[in-house]
Amino acid sequence: MPDTTPAEDGTEAAQSGDAKRILVAEDSSAIQDLLQLILTQRGLSVDIVEDGKQALDAIRTQGYDIALLDFNMPEMTGLEVVAKYLEDPAKGPCPHFVAITGDVQGLLESQDNCEHFDRVMAKPLDINEVLSVIGELGRARPEAPGIRPVRPAAGGAPSRSPIEDVGYRFLRWPYDADRRRLTAGAEGYDAVLVYEADTPDDLAPLWQGRGLNLLPVIDLTGRLGAGADFDASGVGGDVAEHVTRLIDGFGDRRAALHRDVARSEDIGDKLLARIHVSGADLIPRLDGNRKGLVGYNLTLAPETVRAAAGKLVGRGLLAADFFERLHVCGNCRSARMIVREECPSCRSAQIEETSYLHHFRCAYQGPEADFRTGDDLICPKCRVELRHFGRDYDRPGTMLVCQSCGHAAAEPAVGFVCADCGTRSEGEAVATRDVHLYRLTRDGIGYLEAGAAFLGMAQQVLRFTDLPLDLVVALNGEARRYNETGAAFTLLSIAYRNERPIAQDHGARQFAATRRLFTELLGQRLDGGAKVISGGAFDYALLPGTGPEAVSGRIGDLGKRIAAELRFDPGAEISVFGPEDLG
Amino acid sequence: MMGTLLPDALDFLKAQSFASLLALYWYIALFEIPRYGVSFLVAALFRPAPPGAGAADGVGRLSAIIAGHNEEEAIERCVLALHEQSRPPDEIIVVSDGSTDRMSAVIARLLRQGLIQQAHATDLRGGTSSGVNLAARWATGDILMKVDCDCSFDRHALRNILTPFQNPAVGAVSGNILVRNPGESLVAAFQAIEYMISISLGKQAADALGQVACVSGAFGAFRHEAFEAVGGMDAGGGEDLDFTLRLRREGWEVRFAADAICYTDVPATLIALIRQRFRWERDAVRLRYRKHGEMMNPFSHRFRPRELLHEVEFLGFNVIAAAALPFYLLGLFASYGGFALIVLAAAQAGLLLLDLASFLLAAHATPRARAMGLLWFLPGYTVFNGFFMRFIRLAAYAQEWAFDRSYSDPYVPNKVHRERL
């Protein structure tokens, strides 16, 4: 089996602690195989049942930590299973119930469903999501939410905004923002409609659900500022047209995202995708309400944006333009710093500028206060009255006198005081933080459109969770046979270097056709029994009974020969994996 | 010619009686012999005790004051040198006196770096006195030490200049200034000898007699209390002499610390030297006889008997000696014609011996002067000091008397000249 470390697929939680007992109620045998394979690999104890009745019996008798229930099963739906179990007065401890459904929106419309299921997962299943939900629920006590809790709606149902009549499906914040819906992802929503929120950061949980960060945020509160994509708080009239244009624009650009990026859980990928989908650069704005003094035009904490964007700049996917340099408190990292001129001696800001007076006759030189006696200027040294400016005396310059300690200096020191924690820093010692505007580079756009293959970075690393389901099941069978009989097999992974140029010059359909033709020819030219499987970013070929050493020498030439027969060279790069590589 | 002249001269001198020798050399008997005599006597009788380690304890905090005009290049070196002292100052205050170069920016940086404690900058130049007064106004030390930017110091100079302040009656101490550039020119070499004999050795003699009349402006220290008591510096020039005279008048003792050594560059060209000495001598007569003339008048309430000695010394050895020299020479040439040269040469030969003795004494008293390399310049120095410098002095006095030239020195801004006392 492919060897993936927990850190790669975010499932470390699934492996920690005692072995969890999982029930899978699912009538599709492919999904049964897949879940069994993955979950047992993670050290979990898995029981499989095929219908609702068996599921109810199993839950009653065995006592599970988590029950994954297909919503539409023979005999009894998932909801009925849960309802019956909960009705039973003699029921044991309650497992976490997770619904699996092809119609998330429909499921969530029933209030009962929302109460009974801890999570809802959309079909087709995303392996990463399954693992991360199981990890979370395994960690959490029942009813303790795994996602940051969202403030419940105050006072029941909201007054309905006319925007909801525009004809799109809205996630109404915070009323629809329970953790089941957030986990289920953006499936079934076109936009987020914010009824209540104080700051853009309140909407940060959107970034935890898959794809929710890619929806336009329409602000009805007027408090989100640039954090929202559209401020609908004070507009009437043409709002429908504007909302339509906004949502369609987001939808079009979202559809153009490569599946790798759109489904990625990585915060950097999410951020890249958000910039692309919003159609705007990542623009910083000074915001006095924030400790960091800067907010960006999205609903993610600026610290997170800065860290993630910094890494993307390092990878060449974003370009950074200087926006502002802030001074930062060394103690609490706040950028809300009071800058002032201070006494170089005692650091007090209570300094006053005063003139020097120079009495020519006796050479006394000092601050004007030394001379001042009522309205008169009397020299403190020789007691002569100064009457004639330029003749008796002049003012050769100014000095700063500290009213706190009496120290005098020609120039003040510059100092900072943190408005949040009160820490003082000297002007030359205070740390600075540069704020940048971020925009997509050509590489960034290429990555968003072509996925990981664009970067050529997935060549020698096979990500188990990226593989198509039927390939996983087939691989599992081959692996078992290899362990039992020693029969070798080979997996080819095919990436297409020329996907972008072909798609740009001749259209995505042309590339799809080229790719399909390439895999067909490859399947024909390989020895009998080869199984070619189309994936997302890559295509695959599984060769049972053939070891990788028999393939690797000639596969490059074969690829070139096939490409020569095609109208466009897809730039196929074929990597070879054997049973040893796949663990 | 010299081959026959010298034996002739000796023969001539041998033939003279004591009375006729006195008639021949009255000038030397009056103005040279006593000068050397006093020095020898004092130097022979009084030897300063070498200060032990920590001898500067208990005199309090030391504030170093540097007032400079357009010293952007020298100021940093000067400040760093002060930090190198065995007894560094507790506070350094720098005043940029109307500098038009980057001096104020440099001292602001030194302040930020913590190398100095106060930095003041004026936009208009006011002269040394007003700059020092300004710094003193803010100084927190018990002892104020004024240094010039272009001076460099012996490692123990600050410790040694503080030592005399252990006596609470002492109000000011002058440092010992030596020449840093004797090799630069003949004129500089002559001045190096002059600083050793007249200033270093001469002030040691004056110190022994309690007659130090001028605390050097380049390197001197003052008790803060005494500085305040006399109202600080008066408008210049010659403010160092003026300030010392006023301290003395108020009863403060003024000392000379021979082992507090500081080095400075002297004018290397004759014209620069002449300008400098014109300024010094003009200021000296202006201050002694215009501003402080009453100190010599026995009927004035400002008369102080203990000031008499240095006043008489100055009047006799500087003013009258310079004024009498032309008459002496005229008389000599009138009586002896060309033979006067022989007479003078014989006198110089004698004076050379006295100068040699003084030189060796000074070299012994100030070992750090590295004097022996200067020995070869001694014959030239005797003539230089005996005739040339006296004529300069005379010209300066005459100019001051006739034209009040000290009132237009460029070292003091015109606005100050116009108004000062």
Side-chain angles (χ1 to χ4, degrees), chain B residues 208-404:
Chain B
L209 298 171
Q211 294 294 312
V212 177
C214 180
V215 171
S216 163
F219 184 36
F222 313 99
R223 197 176 289 283
H224 201 162
E225 180 193 347
F227 189 94
E228 296 289 333
V230 300
M233 299 250 171
D234 276 358
E239 62 277 349
D240 42 2
L241 171 64
D242 168 67
F243 182 68
T244 315
L245 291 176
R246 286 190 292 126
L247 280 176
R248 294 181 63 89
R249 200 176 71 207
E250 294 300 318
W252 292 98
E253 277 187 32
V254 178
R255 299 293 308 274
F256 173 73
D259 51 0
I261 292 167
C262 133
Y263 300 89
T264 190
D265 287 343
V266 293
T269 65
L270 202 53
I271 192 75
L273 173 69
I274 291 170
R275 279 211 194 94
Q276 183 199 54
R277 293 309 164 93
F278 263 62
R279 202 174 70 239
W280 287 7
E281 300 297 345
R282 285 192 305 243
D283 284 332
V285 293
R286 174 175 59 80
L287 290 167
R288 283 179 182 273
Y289 303 116
R290 289 216 168 98
K291 189 170 176 182
H292 299 293
E294 282 183 88
M295 285 172 78
M296 295 181 68
N297 177 359
F299 302 106
S300 164
H301 70 282
R302 292 171 69 187
F303 176 75
R304 296 285 182 279
R306 69 168 188 161
E307 304 306 302
L308 209 53
L309 189 55
H310 71 81
E311 292 285 13
V312 167
E313 191 258 358
F314 182 81
L315 182 68
F317 293 131
N318 287 43
V319 182
I320 298 178
L325 184 59
F327 297 104
Y328 173 63
L329 292 178
L330 279 174
L332 213 55
F333 278 97
S335 305
Y336 299 98
F339 193 67
L341 281 176
I342 305 292
V343 173
L344 286 175
Q348 285 305 311
L351 287 175
L352 180 59
L353 289 175
L354 291 176
D355 274 331
L356 180 62
S358 297
F359 179 86
L360 295 174
L361 204 56
H364 175 68
T366 315
R368 300 206 55 80
R370 299 204 183 117
M372 296 324 282
L374 296 168
L375 194 58
W376 306 107
F377 297 100
L378 199 61
Y381 165 77
T382 305
V383 179
F384 174 80
N385 195 44
F387 292 98
F388 183 74
M389 294 307 273
R390 277 211 177 94
F391 277 115
I392 288 181
R393 228 170 267 153
L394 182 59
Y397 299 151
Q399 201 185 33
E400 180 65 19
W401 240 291
F403 304 110
D404 292 349

Side-chain angles (χ1 to χ4, degrees), chain A residues 154-408:
Chain A
S159 64
R160 189 180 155 86
S161 163
I163 291 178
E164 291 199 50
D165 300 330
V166 174
Y168 289 99
R169 294 160 300 171
F170 293 97
L171 185 140
R172 298 170 311 152
W173 189 277
Y175 312 116
D176 297 342
D178 55 79
R179 58 199 157 88
R180 294 173 191 84
R181 283 190 175 87
L182 293 179
T183 322
E187 208 69 48
Y189 293 115
D190 296 309
V192 178
L193 193 59
V194 181
Y195 279 93
E196 285 181 32
D198 291 327
T199 72
D201 294 5
D202 290 350
L203 278 70
L206 289 175
W207 290 74
Q208 297 174 14
R210 193 173 67 204
L212 288 171
N213 60 309
L214 302 181
L215 299 178
V217 175
I218 299 170
D219 178 20
L220 297 173
T221 69
R223 284 199 286 268
L224 301 185
D229 297 295
F230 177 50
D231 181 356
S233 60
V235 295
D238 61 343
V239 68
E241 189 192 333
H242 196 103
V243 167
T244 303
R245 207 164 48 235
L246 177 74
I247 291 177
D248 290 352
F250 267 67
D252 290 347
R253 290 186 290 267
R254 205 161 53 233
L257 284 180
H258 191 277
R259 184 175 159 279
D260 278 3
V261 187
R263 297 173 70 86
S264 172
E265 295 285 320
D266 176 70
I267 185 66
D269 287 345
K270 287 186 168 193
L271 189 62
L272 272 184
R274 168 74 201 185
I275 296 171
H276 188 54
V277 167
S278 71
D281 293 335
L282 197 48
I283 302 166
R285 283 188 175 78
L286 292 178
D287 179 354
N289 292 320
R290 291 177 179 279
K291 209 172 171 185
L293 265 187
V294 167
Y296 283 93
N297 51 336
L298 40 68
T299 59
L300 196 59
E303 298 74 37
T304 316
V305 171
R306 204 170 51 243
K311 286 182 190 159
L312 294 170
V313 170
R315 290 168 59 193
L317 302 179
L318 286 182
D321 296 337
F322 179 83
F323 170 71
E324 189 56 274
R325 175 162 295 171
L326 304 176
H327 292 84
V328 184
C329 173
N331 182 42
C332 73
R333 311 304 297 164
S334 168
R336 287 191 288 219
M337 301 282 269
I338 301 163
V339 57
R340 71 266 178 95
E341 292 185 331
E342 339 174 294
C343 168
S345 177
C346 77
R347 297 277 153 199
S348 164
Q350 195 188 8
I351 50 177
E352 304 285 341
E353 191 175 72
T354 179
S355 291
Y356 293 103
L357 254 59
H358 175 195
H359 184 206
F360 302 148
R361 191 179 156 89
C362 77
Y364 188 88
Q365 190 167 231
E368 182 173 350
D370 290 1
F371 292 80
R372 183 64 79 174
T373 309
D375 285 344
D376 299 332
L377 294 174
I378 309 285
C379 176
K381 175 177 169 183
C382 62
R383 308 309 302 170
V384 167
E385 184 180 2
L386 312 189
R387 304 283 297 252
H388 191 164
F389 180 78
R391 187 88 198 173
D392 297 341
Y393 71 100
D394 65 2
R395 295 175 186 269
T398 56
M399 74 173 97
L400 295 159
V401 179
C402 175
Q403 307 298 304
S404 297
C405 74
H407 184 92

Side-chain angles (χ1 to χ4, degrees), chain A residues 127-162:
Chain A
I127 293 166
N128 272 332
E129 191 184 347
V130 172
L131 291 172
S132 103
V133 164
I134 286 175
E136 258 176 47
L137 294 178
R139 227 178 4 239
R141 291 188 305 277
E143 295 309 313
I147 284 181
R148 198 173 113 193
V150 172
R151 193 162 50 84
S159 64
R160 189 180 155 86
S161 163

Side-chain angles (χ1 to χ4, degrees), chain B residues 56-360:
Chain B
D57 289 351
V59 301
R61 282 166 50 79
L62 173 63
S63 298
I65 291 174
I66 310 169
H69 173 72
N70 289 351
E71 300 280 9
E72 65 170 348
E73 283 169 12
I75 183 65
E76 182 163 6
R77 198 177 54 233
C78 180
V79 166
L80 293 176
L82 286 175
H83 283 284
E84 285 300 309
Q85 283 288 304
S86 61
R87 196 306 190 187
D90 301 296
E91 172 182 65
I92 301 178
I93 304 173
V94 184
V95 177
S96 162
D97 181 26
S99 297
T100 51
D101 64 356
R102 293 191 61 261
M103 182 176 176
S104 55
V106 172
I107 63 175
R109 174 173 58 76
L110 294 174
L111 180 69
R112 284 196 299 276
Q113 292 173 337
L115 289 170
I116 63 177
Q117 280 60 50
Q118 293 190 42
H120 301 273
T122 60
D123 302 326
L124 300 174
R125 185 169 158 235
T128 307
S129 298
S130 60
V132 172
N133 285 342
L134 176 64
R137 163 72 175 72
W138 297 105
T140 60
D142 303 297
I143 307 293
L144 310 180
M145 182 184 67
K146 175 182 179 298
V147 297
D148 275 0
C149 270
D150 54 3
C151 284
S152 45
F153 301 91
D154 177 75
R155 180 165 169 75
H156 303 296
L158 267 56
R159 184 190 74 193
N160 294 343
I161 205 171
L162 286 177
T163 308
F165 284 106
Q166 287 179 318
N167 175 358
V170 171
V173 178
S174 177
N176 187 3
I177 296 173
L178 296 177
V179 174
R180 189 168 48 197
N181 60 335
E184 201 175 336
S185 69
L186 190 63
V187 174
F190 288 160
Q191 288 174 85
I193 299 172
E194 183 200 13
Y195 273 64
M196 274 174 58
I197 296 179
S198 312
I199 300 183
S200 185
L201 190 64
K203 277 192 179 170
Q204 283 183 61
D207 185 53
L209 298 171
Q211 294 294 312
V212 177
C214 180
V215 171
S216 163
F219 184 36
F222 313 99
R223 197 176 289 283
H224 201 162
E225 180 193 347
F227 189 94
E228 296 289 333
V230 300
M233 299 250 171
D234 276 358
E239 62 277 349
D240 42 2
L241 171 64
D242 168 67
F243 182 68
T244 315
L245 291 176
R246 286 190 292 126
L247 280 176
R248 294 181 63 89
R249 200 176 71 207
E250 294 300 318
W252 292 98
E253 277 187 32
V254 178
R255 299 293 308 274
F256 173 73
D259 51 0
I261 292 167
C262 133
Y263 300 89
T264 190
D265 287 343
V266 293
T269 65
L270 202 53
I271 192 75
L273 173 69
I274 291 170
R275 279 211 194 94
Q276 183 199 54
R277 293 309 164 93
F278 263 62
R279 202 174 70 239
W280 287 7
E281 300 297 345
R282 285 192 305 243
D283 284 332
V285 293
R286 174 175 59 80
L287 290 167
R288 283 179 182 273
Y289 303 116
R290 289 216 168 98
K291 189 170 176 182
H292 299 293
E294 282 183 88
M295 285 172 78
M296 295 181 68
N297 177 359
F299 302 106
S300 164
H301 70 282
R302 292 171 69 187
F303 176 75
R304 296 285 182 279
R306 69 168 188 161
E307 304 306 302
L308 209 53
L309 189 55
H310 71 81
E311 292 285 13
V312 167
E313 191 258 358
F314 182 81
L315 182 68
F317 293 131
N318 287 43
V319 182
I320 298 178
L325 184 59
F327 297 104
Y328 173 63
L329 292 178
L330 279 174
L332 213 55
F333 278 97
S335 305
Y336 299 98
F339 193 67
L341 281 176
I342 305 292
V343 173
L344 286 175
Q348 285 305 311
L351 287 175
L352 180 59
L353 289 175
L354 291 176
D355 274 331
L356 180 62
S358 297
F359 179 86
L360 295 174

